[in-house]
Amino acid sequence: MFDAARARIASYERLTRTLKALEPQWLTVRGEVVAARGPVLEVSGLHGFAPVGTLCRVETSAPVMGEVIGFRDGVHLVMLYGKAEGVAPATRVTLAGGEPARPDAGWLGRIVDGFGRPLDTAKHGVLAPGAEAVSLLADPPRATERRAVGPRLETGTHVFNTFLPLCRGQRLGLFAGSGVGKSTLLAHLAARVEIDVAVIGLIGERGREVREFVERTLGPEGLARSVVVVATSDDPPLLKRRALYLATALAEHFRDRGRQVLLLVDSLTRFAEAHRDIAMAAGEPPSARSFPPSTFSQLAHLVERSGPGRECETSGDITALYTVLVQGSDQEEPLADAVRGLLDGHVVLDREIAERGRYPAIDVLRSISRTLPFCASEEENGLLGQARRRMTLHREMETMLRLGAYRPGTDAETDAAIAAHEPMEKFLATGAERPAVAESFGFLKMILNQTASPAAGGRPQRRQGPAR
């Protein structure tokens, strides 16, 4: 009996290999729907032909695309890229290879979806494909083949030129709640940072804000050297995840052609939520804050694909900024904590700072760039240390200052911190000017010198208690 069963299995495998070897025009693999649970269909008849990640076409009256996300009890689990209306028992499902994205320089200035299809055809027409297809799930360069993080980039923004330097090939995270100015900050950087190409992934963005972001915030100058990949908040989880895969693949495409690339992603949290929906639909159990374990490995793989390029003359680098939407401004939630450990620095945007009208609303004292102190000179590091000490002291004394419990002249360091507060707030705000790194440090030095206490030849007086 067992020999007969093994013989049948071997015969089936030989038949499967023979069918797979046939030319595509001679082979159409069809399955049929046996069950539907929300956006996930159970499909029979695809055994041996549809590994995880295979694209399918569900043949309803208005055909809809799907993707194999797993298999269970002899059936394939197919998640839809659209709505399940019209799906019925025995609805046919056929394999669809799908045309891979083929980017080239003509994609700059364009807006595309997760499949590389243009979303701005009314204004710019069709999008011509390039010569080579990109892989959505490429492996990152090996650690031993990568060059080190490169020199500091000109960002045209005081805070990133000084306190939070952005170096070539570095990966920074922007951590903030909703409505604190993450998208605006990303657009400013896309237009100002010293790079060749910007790839912007808007993942889970509100639909009405996409055009506003592109036309007003990013502007013609920023868009001209950018490719924008969009998946709006009402798109299915598969499309949101695919959009970030494509954005990363586009950055790799330009990097491998020697370009310096800035990858801006808003937001990594929406990608993680989309992957959570897909993984749980495939049967993976939840763990930390309902995120299944594969979410964190996916994030690590995705982030590792950016960074310095290979140690060769023909490769560029991918400098990346990822936004992380923290729930209730909780900077220690599992997702934020995991992402912080994967990146080369984190920038915290604070709602209280935004509410008092200073943009970008970066809390400098809670933010750090891990390229310091190595990317700055000894003099620059001295200025940054002095400025941070004054900002820290002002924060410590803030409650007493509001209550009027501090008397000017009591302590020289505190007087200097108070005098420097308003100039520093103006310094940290982004304006129309686009300062170079040297100019930013020149302004910072001037602020510190003009607000220094003249006590005892420049030496700080002994700290005393507050006036009673």
Side-chain angles (χ1 to χ4, degrees):
M1 181 177 67
F2 291 109
D3 291 339
R6 281 195 291 269
R8 285 196 298 272
I9 292 173
S11 177
Y12 177 80
E13 290 177 347
R14 285 195 299 272
L15 177 61
T16 299
R17 286 195 296 270
T18 302
L19 291 173
K20 284 183 175 180
L22 294 175
E23 292 296 325
Q25 60 265 30
W26 294 102
L27 177 63
T28 300
V29 178
R30 291 190 178 94
E32 62 179 30
V33 175
V34 296
R37 293 179 174 86
V40 179
L41 309 180
E42 295 184 6
V43 180
S44 65
L46 302 180
H47 183 70
F49 294 96
V52 171
T54 302
L55 294 178
C56 306
R57 180 180 293 103
V58 182
E59 304 293 350
T60 57
S61 56
V64 60
M65 294 292 292
E67 182 178 318
V68 176
I69 62 171
F71 38 85
R72 180 173 56 226
D73 300 330
V75 296
H76 280 67
L77 304 179
V78 176
M79 195 171 194
L80 298 179
Y81 278 97
K83 298 180 180 179
E85 280 79 359
V87 176
T91 297
R92 282 187 175 183
V93 177
T94 59
L95 300 189
E99 178 65 22
R102 299 177 179 273
D104 68 359
W107 284 40
L108 296 177
R110 300 300 298 271
I111 307 170
V112 301
D113 67 3
F115 285 93
R117 299 173 299 202
L119 300 176
D120 54 359
T121 52
K123 187 174 182 179
H124 298 287
V126 297
L127 194 60
E132 297 181 16
V134 295
S135 171
L136 296 186
L137 296 173
D139 290 327
R142 293 180 181 177
T144 54
E145 297 176 353
R146 280 188 149 166
R147 62 169 68 99
V149 171
R152 183 167 53 190
L153 295 172
E154 297 281 357
T155 66
T157 306
H158 285 312
V159 65
F160 286 102
N161 281 351
T162 54
F163 293 99
L164 303 169
L166 184 63
C167 292
R168 186 179 294 172
Q170 186 178 358
R171 298 169 298 205
L172 272 179
L174 304 181
F175 294 74
S178 58
V180 187
K182 301 184 301 299
S183 299
T184 303
L185 178 56
L186 287 183
H188 275 294
L189 292 173
R192 298 182 179 200
V193 174
E194 179 193 14
I195 45 89
D196 301 320
V197 174
V199 179
I200 305 172
L202 302 180
I203 313 302
E205 194 73 15
R206 289 180 289 271
R208 70 166 186 82
E209 293 185 341
V210 171
R211 186 168 180 177
E212 180 180 338
F213 175 89
V214 171
E215 295 182 357
R216 297 183 184 178
T217 312
L218 184 60
E221 180 183 355
L223 181 61
R225 63 173 185 170
S226 304
V227 183
V228 183
V229 185
V230 174
T232 55
S233 58
D234 61 325
D235 281 329
L238 279 174
L239 195 54
K240 293 176 186 176
R241 188 175 71 171
R242 189 181 184 91
L244 186 46
Y245 286 156
L246 178 60
T248 306
L250 294 178
E252 291 169 330
H253 168 83
F254 290 111
R255 175 203 65 193
D256 293 342
R257 282 149 184 79
R259 313 293 287 275
Q260 291 300 322
V261 184
L262 181 65
L263 174 62
L264 303 175
V265 175
D266 186 15
S267 72
L268 206 57
T269 304
R270 300 306 186 201
F271 167 84
E273 291 172 347
H275 178 79
R276 175 186 62 192
D277 294 345
I278 298 166
M280 294 183 69
E284 189 175 349
S287 57
R289 287 278 183 96
S290 77
F291 286 102
S294 65
T295 302
F296 301 99
S297 61
Q298 283 285 325
L299 288 171
H301 179 267
L302 189 71
V303 168
E304 280 298 319
R305 290 171 64 183
S306 60
R310 290 180 174 84
E311 193 71 74
C312 62
E313 295 180 359
T314 58
S315 177
D317 307 292
I318 301 176
T319 306
L321 282 91
Y322 300 95
T323 70
V324 179
L325 185 63
V326 292
Q327 303 296 331
S329 299
D330 180 10
Q331 299 291 335
E332 305 304 321
E333 63 170 333
L335 185 63
D337 197 47
V339 173
R340 193 182 298 111
L342 297 172
L343 301 175
D344 306 319
H346 56 275
V347 178
V348 177
L349 276 69
D350 187 85
R351 190 175 301 279
E352 291 185 2
I353 296 176
E355 288 172 350
R356 67 172 183 251
R358 195 251 284 169
Y359 291 97
I362 296 174
D363 189 335
V364 172
L365 296 179
R366 296 168 65 194
S367 305
I368 189 169
S369 171
R370 294 178 185 170
T371 56
L372 281 176
F374 309 107
C375 70
S377 67
E378 184 176 351
E379 180 186 4
E380 290 169 345
N381 282 317
L383 290 172
L384 295 176
Q386 185 180 0
R388 280 184 175 272
R389 286 192 295 272
R390 290 196 188 178
M391 294 168 70
T392 300
L393 181 55
H394 184 274
R395 180 167 295 183
E396 291 174 352
M397 299 294 294
E398 199 165 11
T399 301
M400 297 183 64
L401 293 173
R402 289 178 179 175
L403 297 174
Y406 176 77
R407 186 176 60 198
T410 303
D411 177 69
E413 290 184 4
T414 303
D415 291 342
I418 294 171
H421 177 67
E422 286 301 324
M424 285 297 299
E425 286 289 293
K426 294 178 180 178
F427 175 79
L428 295 174
T430 297
E433 73 283 354
R434 299 190 177 192
V437 170
E439 292 177 282
S440 295
F441 274 103
F443 280 117
L444 181 61
K445 184 176 182 179
M446 181 179 65
I447 291 171
L448 296 175
N449 288 340
Q450 288 181 349
T451 58
S453 173
R459 294 190 300 272
Q461 297 177 351
R462 183 175 61 87
R463 296 276 305 273
Q464 300 179 13
R468 297 185 180 277

